[in-house]
Amino acid sequence: MPASPSTARAINDRLALRLLQQEGPLTAGQLKQLTGLSRPTVADLVERLTVAGLISVVGESGEQRRGPNARLYGIVADRAQLAALDVRTEGVTVVVADLLGAELARASVPITDDAGTGPAVEQAVALVERAAKEAGAERLHTVGVGAPGLIDPASGELRDSSGLPAWHRRLVAALQERLPARVIVENETNLAALAEQRDGAARDRDTFVLLWLGHGTGAAVVLDGRLRRGASGGTGEIGFLPVPGTATLPSATDCEGGFHSLAGGAAIAGLAAAYGLTATGSGGEPPAAALVRAAVAAVTPSSPSSSPASHSSATDGSPYGPSDRFLSALADRLAVGAASVVAVLDPGCVVLGGEVGQAGGEELAARVGERLARMSPLPAEVRAGVLGGGAVLRGALLTARESAQDDLFTPHPR
């Protein structure tokens, strides 16, 4: 059946808004060319969107052109303000942005282990409120929250998880109570995968797996362009994966003895110590990432001899000494987890994400890829994530922006 006039108008409006989002300001003539719509239809939709406060004239196209046909139309970015939160065990970071994703304010607060649930929640909520005030946002439209742990696929809420602070789960409810905004919570690794797919290492892939390598470990699975969460929301809990090379097996409540024991931040720091390596991070970089970054600098021919990693001569024939051996041993560990994922999912691409994946760069990715090719008959390219720990915040902002645009760009019955 043909679409009704109102449905056709809604489809055309959404198409025009998406083009303005992707391409930036456009003239009515450019909208006509890109949409394939008639000139009167484009004129009507421009008037509707202007009256609705979704677009406005932002300039003119070309100094020589004047008049209505030269007007550039753009999305009204301040029609809605958004917030994104990266919730870690040790603190919270928040970014406030406009409808197009431009950052308006950013703030962080550390939360210590001994902080009670109530005070910790109050610190985090107050941080969001202060950032919104600084950004001039009287009302936030949507808040995206990235947090470790499982998200219940039925309710969309953060589930109780052993080993994670109790204030994490209470924070989501407190944000919903205190802010007149839609609050969306998602697993941090899933958000990192979304960000790497949109703006990072997986922009050309609709099927891939992201291995999160930071303080903890995790995986996000994207198949045919869709994020897969699993029946209980636990797809990618790779820290619990039983692997060789550990002293015990993981349990239902403790990932010690699983892949986490090989690739978690503490395990990487312990491995570096075994090779006599030390490094000092800067700008809040996690110790494991600083160690990996220093080791990569030491084995890169163009790196200065003053690299923080040790350059002492090797005793086993390796060209760069302990830094080289450390990276090789780490690649061995990461390949075990990657091979398990590849054998089950055949994703064709594995992205090493998080702070450690970014610090390892192409050097670590190449080593893992080489080992993976020897271990698995299924081809899988290994890439270094480019967004690091910032991928969680970026993914949370993308999620909030898409939700807000879906709401604002959809005509509501009057």
Side-chain angles (χ1 to χ4, degrees), residues 39 47 67 94-95 121 169 206 251 310 315 327 343 349 372 402 411:
R39 189 178 300 277
E47 182 179 1
V94 60
V95 163
V121 169
R169 190 167 190 270
D206 62 0
S251 70
S310 172
T315 58
L327 289 174
C349 178
L372 184 58
E402 287 188 358

Side-chain angles (χ1 to χ4, degrees), residues 104-181:
L104 304 175
R106 177 184 291 256
S108 299
V109 63
I111 297 179
T112 59
D113 293 337
D114 57 355
T117 299
V121 169
E122 180 58 34
Q123 281 183 276
V125 176
L127 180 76
V128 177
E129 293 175 333
R130 287 198 303 272
K133 184 177 181 179
E134 179 185 339
E138 296 182 2
R139 179 185 183 278
L140 293 172
H141 184 284
T142 307
V143 178
V145 182
L150 303 181
I151 309 299
D152 189 311
S155 66
E157 296 179 352
L158 189 65
R159 291 169 50 184
D160 285 323
S161 301
S162 60
L164 294 177
W167 63 267
H168 279 196
R169 190 167 190 270
R170 176 66 187 123
L171 173 59
V172 175
L175 289 170
Q176 292 170 332
E177 293 169 3
R178 293 265 291 270
L179 302 176

Side-chain angles (χ1 to χ4, degrees), residues 224-235:
D224 300 323
R226 292 183 57 193
L227 187 66
R228 307 292 176 164
R229 296 177 176 83
S232 65
T235 294

Side-chain angles (χ1 to χ4, degrees), residues 205 342-343 345-350 369 372-373 375-382:
R205 306 291 306 199
V342 168
L345 297 174
D346 188 20
C349 178
V350 176
L372 184 58
M375 296 171 65
S376 173
L378 306 177
E381 181 183 4
V382 179

Side-chain angles (χ1 to χ4, degrees), residues 65-407:
R65 299 183 61 192
R66 300 296 178 189
N69 291 336
R71 291 172 183 165
L72 280 169
Y73 296 92
I75 292 176
V76 179
D78 61 1
R79 174 65 188 271
Q81 285 78 36
L82 322 167
L85 277 74
D86 183 358
V87 181
R88 305 287 180 103
T89 55
E90 69 278 7
V92 176
T93 298
V94 60
V95 163
V96 178
D98 63 24
L99 187 58
L100 290 177
E103 185 174 315
L104 304 175
R106 177 184 291 256
S108 299
V109 63
I111 297 179
T112 59
D113 293 337
D114 57 355
T117 299
V121 169
E122 180 58 34
Q123 281 183 276
V125 176
L127 180 76
V128 177
E129 293 175 333
R130 287 198 303 272
K133 184 177 181 179
E134 179 185 339
E138 296 182 2
R139 179 185 183 278
L140 293 172
H141 184 284
T142 307
V143 178
V145 182
L150 303 181
I151 309 299
D152 189 311
S155 66
E157 296 179 352
L158 189 65
R159 291 169 50 184
D160 285 323
S161 301
S162 60
L164 294 177
W167 63 267
H168 279 196
R169 190 167 190 270
R170 176 66 187 123
L171 173 59
V172 175
L175 289 170
Q176 292 170 332
E177 293 169 3
R178 293 265 291 270
L179 302 176
R182 176 184 303 166
V183 179
I184 304 170
V185 61
E186 180 59 272
N187 173 267
E188 59 179 358
T189 307
N190 288 344
L191 291 177
L194 172 63
E196 291 285 1
Q197 186 179 35
R198 298 290 181 83
D199 302 325
R203 279 176 288 186
D204 61 336
R205 306 291 306 199
D206 62 0
T207 294
F208 70 99
V209 168
L210 179 134
L211 290 185
W212 178 262
L213 305 170
H215 174 72
T217 57
V221 178
V222 177
L223 301 178
D224 300 323
R226 292 183 57 193
L227 187 66
R228 307 292 176 164
R229 296 177 176 83
S232 65
T235 294
E237 287 296 312
I238 197 172
F240 288 87
L241 180 72
V243 292
T246 62
T248 183
L249 290 173
S251 70
T253 58
D254 189 355
C255 60
E256 191 66 32
F259 182 63
H260 174 83
S261 295
L262 293 183
I268 293 174
L271 181 64
Y275 287 98
L277 302 181
T278 60
T280 302
S282 60
E285 185 177 36
L291 288 161
V292 171
R293 190 180 302 281
V296 169
V299 303
T300 302
S302 60
S303 66
S305 58
S306 59
S307 167
S310 172
H311 285 263
S312 60
S313 299
T315 58
D316 61 357
S318 58
Y320 298 105
S323 293
D324 180 71
R325 300 198 302 275
F326 162 65
L327 289 174
S328 292
L330 177 58
D332 287 340
R333 293 184 174 194
L334 298 181
V336 169
S340 301
V341 171
V342 168
V344 174
L345 297 174
D346 188 20
C349 178
V350 176
V351 175
L352 304 183
E355 292 93 347
V356 171
Q358 182 186 42
E362 294 304 322
E363 177 68 32
L364 182 59
R367 293 179 186 234
V368 174
E370 178 186 355
R371 286 155 177 78
L372 184 58
R374 296 200 303 262
M375 296 171 65
S376 173
L378 306 177
E381 181 183 4
V382 179
R383 301 179 180 180
V386 299
L387 300 178
V392 177
L393 204 57
R394 179 61 182 162
L397 183 56
L398 286 169
T399 299
R401 191 180 76 181
E402 287 188 358
S403 176
Q405 290 180 347
D406 282 344
D407 177 51

